[in-house]
Amino acid sequence: MIGPEEIIITAIRKTLTATAVVGAVLAGSAACGTVEQLSAGKKLDQAFERLGKEKTLSFELDLDVDARTFKELDASSDPQPGEELPDEAAELISGTKISVTVESKKPIDESEEKDLVGMAMKVSGPDGDLVEYRVVGDHAYLRSDVKALGTALGTPLPPADELPAEAGAFKKVLEGEWVTFDTDALKKAGQGAEDGKPSPEPSLDAKTQKKLLEALREVIARDVDFATSGGKDGTEHITATAPFRSLITDLFDEIRPLAKDLPPGMELPSAGDLKDAPDQKVSADFTLKNGELAEVYIDLAALAENAKVKKLGLSLKLSSGTRPVAPTGATELDLEELMSGFAAGMMPDEGFDEGFDESFDEGGFSDEDAA
């Protein structure tokens, strides 16, 4: 079974790999343009390289949009009656931020799961933290605001005091307190599953990678405009702007001749698939602080093609990070006992189903819904 910490470090490495590729592409393509483009590309390339050499890294992902805009986007998609986005969900999503910190014994771009020393991930909503997960040494720590999540998603869980005794430490989870478990035990719990090892990921050979990079550089040099602006205290902004449909159409036109060399199952859209894509200009703003990448902001408002959508963006803030630490007072969970206790708690003779029946009678699933 793949551990949560392995998933996180893999995601971070892929993110850094992708950003490093972006830096290399921008640097190479800018070399074919003006002096300003050359300078911008070189600075971005150096900033991405410095990022991967860090041993502790933090980043925060934030969707820059308000609840009203989410409702406008949902309405424009013509949802079926009863499937409209709930106000609570719109409020939750619009105010959600995802923060991740990872610490490794090696530079991040060279790290594997065995090099991970600590990791912390937190999902925060407009009214506070929703979920927080940490890995320190061989223990993982978790807490969540189950009530807030359940209310926003329309699937509230029963209060902790309604759980049977067999639920044990699971009550702590519902009460929003820290719980901890051995990460090795989590892996062992999944070893009984058939084919527990992950399949090898499709990969590109070095020759194909080189062809792809060259194709991307040509398109970006032709379609993307760069602009730089200075700021205070060593802050500098580099903005890359391009018409969206033209950019992605040209990118896939360049990639399509390489289709036979791509991993199996990777289907490329046809020119017809892209003809209805928005052709408004989109921009990505890179903020550098003393040469280090501090933030990437992508303005997506133009892609909404909705006059009522004034602000829609994606922000990624980065920093050197702080070392993750284990929280105090966490309750130890025995995973096998937890699962057996939870299963026992779902049995009718324990009365746990009565709480669900009552909630369903008050507006949950009916027999007609089940049918």
Side-chain angles (χ1 to χ4, degrees):
M1 181 176 181
I2 304 175
E5 66 274 19
E6 183 177 358
I7 295 174
I8 294 295
I9 194 65
T10 300
I12 292 173
R13 289 187 67 197
K14 286 186 175 181
T15 300
L16 289 173
T17 299
T19 53
V21 169
V22 171
V25 169
L26 292 176
S29 59
C32 304
T34 65
V35 173
E36 182 177 24
Q37 287 177 310
L38 176 59
S39 175
K42 184 177 181 180
K43 289 177 181 178
L44 286 175
D45 192 24
Q46 292 173 340
F48 285 127
E49 184 176 350
R50 291 173 65 174
L51 193 65
K53 299 306 178 185
E54 296 283 354
K55 293 184 178 180
T56 303
L57 178 67
S58 292
F59 62 86
E60 179 183 273
L61 188 64
D62 180 15
L63 190 59
D64 186 20
V65 61
D66 56 29
R68 181 195 61 79
T69 299
F70 253 120
K71 295 288 288 184
E72 289 287 351
L73 291 171
D74 179 60
S76 64
S77 67
D78 296 324
Q80 294 295 319
E83 295 184 359
E84 298 88 352
L85 184 69
D87 292 343
E88 296 85 355
E91 289 286 350
L92 178 68
I93 299 172
S94 65
T96 296
K97 295 181 180 180
I98 302 175
S99 305
V100 176
T101 296
V102 64
E103 180 186 17
S104 176
K105 293 180 289 187
K106 294 182 179 180
I108 298 298
D109 60 1
E110 301 174 11
S111 296
E112 299 179 4
E113 181 190 6
K114 61 183 177 63
D115 303 312
L116 190 65
V117 176
M119 187 276 294
M121 180 177 67
K122 181 168 63 177
V123 181
S124 303
D127 298 321
D129 298 339
L130 298 172
V131 180
E132 189 166 1
Y133 178 79
R134 302 181 193 177
V135 177
V136 181
D138 58 0
H139 269 70
Y141 302 84
L142 173 71
R143 71 172 176 179
S144 63
D145 188 340
V146 177
K147 182 178 179 181
L149 286 172
T151 300
L153 298 176
T155 55
L157 291 177
D161 58 10
E162 292 185 11
L163 292 179
E166 287 83 354
F170 187 68
K171 292 184 179 182
K172 297 292 185 181
V173 177
L174 294 186
E175 291 170 351
E177 297 186 20
W178 280 107
V179 294
T180 180
F181 53 88
D182 190 324
T183 53
D184 289 336
L186 180 64
K187 293 177 183 178
K188 290 177 182 178
Q191 286 179 353
E194 185 178 350
D195 192 21
K197 292 184 179 180
S199 312
E201 293 187 7
S203 59
L204 295 172
D205 59 65
K207 185 177 181 181
T208 302
Q209 290 184 40
K210 184 178 180 180
K211 290 180 179 178
L212 281 173
L213 284 175
E214 289 301 325
L216 294 174
R217 283 173 174 169
E218 288 181 14
V219 172
I220 291 177
R222 183 170 65 246
D223 293 357
V224 179
D225 293 324
F226 291 91
T228 59
S229 60
K232 296 180 180 179
D233 303 323
T235 301
E236 186 174 11
H237 293 274
I238 298 175
T239 303
T241 305
F244 182 73
R245 189 199 310 152
S246 300
L247 178 63
I248 61 172
T249 299
D250 289 350
L251 282 174
F252 283 114
D253 284 347
E254 291 288 342
I255 295 173
R256 207 165 280 113
L258 305 175
K260 66 180 184 301
D261 299 319
L262 299 178
M266 184 178 289
E267 297 184 5
L268 301 178
S270 66
D273 295 331
L274 303 174
K275 65 182 179 62
D276 293 327
D279 203 31
Q280 285 82 359
K281 288 188 176 182
V282 294
S283 63
D285 183 78
F286 301 85
T287 300
L288 306 183
K289 178 73 173 180
N290 296 323
E292 296 184 354
L293 184 62
E295 182 178 3
V296 181
Y297 184 89
I298 304 176
D299 188 349
L300 303 171
L303 299 184
E305 295 189 304
N306 187 327
K308 295 181 179 180
V309 176
K310 303 299 183 183
K311 183 174 69 172
L312 177 60
L314 186 66
S315 169
L316 179 67
K317 297 179 181 179
L318 304 107
S319 65
S320 57
T322 56
R323 184 175 186 177
V325 296
T328 59
T331 300
E332 185 81 26
L333 290 183
D334 183 300
L335 294 181
E336 292 185 5
E337 180 182 348
L338 174 65
M339 295 308 296
S340 61
F342 182 71
M346 295 295 289
M347 298 298 290
D349 60 352
E350 294 295 337
F352 188 49
D353 62 323
E354 296 177 3
F356 275 97
D357 288 340
E358 291 173 1
S359 64
F360 291 162
D361 291 340
E362 294 173 359
F365 293 130
S366 64
D367 291 339
E368 293 179 358
D369 292 327

